[in-house]
Every structure is written in C-alpha cells, then in structure tokens.
Amino acid sequence: MGRADLAAISEVRGAVRELLRYRWEEEPARVAELLLSELVTNALVHTDDGAVVAVSVAPEKLRVEVRDFVPGMPVSHVPNADDGTHGRGLVLVESLADAWGVSPQALGKVVWFELDGERP
C-alpha cells in the first residue's frame, strides 16, 4: 500500500475481520481492527513509501505488525483537544493493546501490537 492507498485501509480491516471471524471472540477482534487501521493510517500518512501488514494468529494471542520504509521512530503524545481527530493513533494502541512496540529495521521500522484473547 502506498500513501495514495488510504482507501485500502478499509480493505485491510475487512481482511483482518474475515481472518478473525471464527478464530477470536468479537470484542478483541474489533479492537484488533481499530488498532490495525490506526497503525496503517499512520504509516501511510507519515510516509510516501507504503506499508506492509503482517498478522499472526494463535489460540490465545494475536500479533499485528505494520512495516514502513522510512527511518525514524514514531512519537506518541497526548493530542491537543483543539487538534480534531489527529494524533490519537498511538494513544489508542498504548491504551488498548496488551503489548506494543517499535522495532527498527535496516530500512524503516515495524510498529506492532499484541492482544490476548480466546477462541469463540
């Protein structure tokens, strides 16, 4: 996906929804969709080089990784109340994920999160 592919965010959400439909409970699956869309949006808005998404599903753990190809680490901050809806992506990830982090790569970085959950 590239910066021009912001419309593809709904496609990525739909793919994760289908992947988790029979594998995970509804609530953590919704959280996964939300956090995935936040990370993909951040990667596409703040880079011009696209993003790669990887999802690993285990019976009790979900890991989502969003890789971009731009050096530099993301900065999490509490957004100004007058800032509209911008700047809340990493705050949501920090609040809702069971674990999250950023792994620098030779080219770019991977921002990831994990959720603990149960099978239906």
Side-chain angles (χ1 to χ4, degrees):
M1 291 184 295
R3 185 179 180 131
D5 293 334
L6 288 176
I9 294 168
S10 64
E11 292 177 28
V12 171
R13 282 183 73 139
V16 167
R17 184 179 313 120
E18 283 301 311
L19 176 67
L20 298 179
R21 177 177 284 178
Y22 301 109
R23 292 178 178 90
W24 267 50
E25 293 288 337
E26 186 174 349
E27 184 60 28
R30 286 185 187 167
V31 171
E33 274 187 67
L34 171 65
L35 299 184
L36 169 66
S37 66
E38 292 295 333
L39 293 186
V40 170
T41 300
N42 283 351
L44 296 180
V45 166
H46 297 293
T47 74
D48 289 323
D49 295 323
V52 175
V53 175
V55 179
S56 302
V57 182
E60 296 179 4
K61 187 171 294 273
L62 171 76
R63 181 178 175 101
V64 174
E65 300 178 349
V66 178
R67 180 177 183 172
D68 67 45
F69 302 95
V70 175
M73 303 307 253
V75 177
S76 178
H77 69 282
V78 177
N80 183 325
D82 296 333
D83 198 17
T85 60
H86 300 288
R88 290 169 173 75
L90 288 180
V91 173
L92 284 172
V93 173
E94 288 175 4
S95 298
L96 298 175
D98 292 305
W100 81 281
V102 182
S103 304
Q105 304 292 304
L107 180 60
K109 63 195 156 294
V110 172
V111 183
W112 58 269
F113 69 85
E114 293 179 348
L115 296 174
D116 299 331
E118 300 177 5
R119 290 184 159 201

